[in-house]
């Protein structure tokens, strides 16, 4: 299997790439910082993972197009998996998800078994561009979105040092812990496996029960 995973040098994207690579996928990734990519590529090579990378600001259309040209060359015009791991409130990054998907569509269709997984947010469970999932299903391309709650990633670490903040989050999370990147990556990997071949157009929360509990703290 071949995969493109954006923003995989840290956090959730990093965990997703390593999960797919561990399962045997050959992967291309992109990020804005050359040093981050080179460091990760070195680490992945040491682990025996087949990963290549390039520099890309996903909010810039021309850079998205260049990345997809590279992916097409690296994978000989075919792609099995596209994971857009950037969860952002930046409208340009949100638009990038759809644009990236349309660029990837010919490669996904050519593979005969395409999967797109968006990483969104539990705060906007239905606010993801999945309306083309049914249309693309006829091309054997499945589109799903994974919506995490609070996940322990580098950008969030400073806030996780605040006990009051952590206590507030845990009080609203029935499973009573902060999520880990592995909690998300394992679901993404499942959605890309043949076992999930009849699942498409879904938004699946990875939130320890937050979306059921809502904003009201549980009473122990």
């Amino acid at each position: 299997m071949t995969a493109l995973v954006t923003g995989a040098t840290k956090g959730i994207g990093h965990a997703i790439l390593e999960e797919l690579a561990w399962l045997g996928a050959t992967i291309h990734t992109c990020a804005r910082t050359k040093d981050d990519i080179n460091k990760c590529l070195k680490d992945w090579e040491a682990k025996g993972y087949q990963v290549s990378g390039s520099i890309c600001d996903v909010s810039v259309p021309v850079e998205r197009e260049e990345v997809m040209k590279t992916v097409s060359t690296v994978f000989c015009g075919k792609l099995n998996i596209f994971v857009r791991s950037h969860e952002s409130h930046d409208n340009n990054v949100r638009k990038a998800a759809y644009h990236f998907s349309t660029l990837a569509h010919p490669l996904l269709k050519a593979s005969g078994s395409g999967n797109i997984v968006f990483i969104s947010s539990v705060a906007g469970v239905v606010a993801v561009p999945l309306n083309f999932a049914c249309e693309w299903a006829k091309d054997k391309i499945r589109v799903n979105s994974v919506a995490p709650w609070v996940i322990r990633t580098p950008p969030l670490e400073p806030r996780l040092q605040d006990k009051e903040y952590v206590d507030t989050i845990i009080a609203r999370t029935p499973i009573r812990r902060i999520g880990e990147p592995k909690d998300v990556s394992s679901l993404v990997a499942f959605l890309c496996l043949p076992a999930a071949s009849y699942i498409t157009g879904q938004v699946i929360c990875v939130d320890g029960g937050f979306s059921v509990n809502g904003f009201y703290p549980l009473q122990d």
Side-chain angles (χ1 to χ4, degrees):
M1 302 288 279
T2 58
L4 168 62
V5 182
T6 67
T9 57
K10 61 188 67 174
I12 293 173
H14 188 274
I16 291 170
L17 185 148
E18 293 211 335
E19 185 94 27
L20 294 174
W22 180 78
L23 289 169
T26 303
I27 303 170
H28 188 82
T29 187
C30 61
R32 288 178 296 178
T33 307
K34 182 178 180 180
D35 289 344
D36 286 347
I37 291 177
N38 289 340
K39 180 181 181 301
C40 287
L41 289 177
K42 185 177 180 180
D43 291 342
W44 290 324
E45 183 180 9
K47 294 179 179 179
Y49 297 158
Q50 300 179 69
V51 184
S52 58
S54 55
I55 300 171
C56 173
D57 182 340
V58 298
S59 67
V60 180
V62 68
E63 294 194 25
R64 297 195 290 267
E65 292 167 2
E66 285 301 315
V67 165
M68 201 54 65
K69 289 178 183 177
T70 300
V71 169
S72 181
T73 299
V74 170
F75 296 142
C76 302
K78 297 181 180 180
L79 183 66
N80 298 111
I81 299 166
F82 169 48
V83 180
R84 200 277 297 191
S85 66
H86 296 82
E87 192 285 302
S88 175
H89 298 293
D90 185 330
N91 194 45
N92 287 330
V93 177
R94 291 180 182 275
K95 289 179 180 178
Y98 182 78
H99 184 217
F100 245 139
S101 298
T102 58
L103 293 173
H105 179 268
L107 307 184
L108 293 163
K109 183 177 179 180
S111 73
S113 176
N115 298 276
I116 297 176
V117 181
F118 297 117
I119 303 301
S120 55
S121 169
V122 74
V125 174
V126 297
V128 289
L130 295 180
N131 54 327
F132 55 93
C134 292
E135 179 183 349
W136 286 11
K138 67 179 183 295
D139 293 330
K140 297 184 179 179
I141 299 173
R142 295 184 288 117
V143 184
N144 292 290
S145 180
V146 173
W149 172 220
V150 177
I151 305 295
R152 191 182 302 279
T153 58
L156 192 62
E157 280 298 339
R159 297 208 69 186
L160 295 181
Q161 304 307 310
D162 182 343
K163 184 178 183 302
E164 183 177 351
Y165 171 77
V166 172
D167 288 346
T168 299
I169 295 300
I170 290 178
R172 287 159 171 75
T173 308
I175 209 167
R176 288 297 194 263
R177 68 172 175 84
I178 301 294
E180 301 292 338
K182 187 75 173 178
D183 296 323
V184 180
S185 65
S186 57
L187 174 59
V188 172
F190 166 71
L191 290 172
C192 297
L193 291 172
S197 64
Y198 208 57
I199 300 174
T200 190
Q202 302 304 305
V203 180
I204 304 174
C205 296
V206 182
D207 63 358
F210 168 78
S211 55
V212 175
N213 188 50
F215 285 95
Y216 297 95
L218 294 180
Q219 300 298 317
D220 290 329

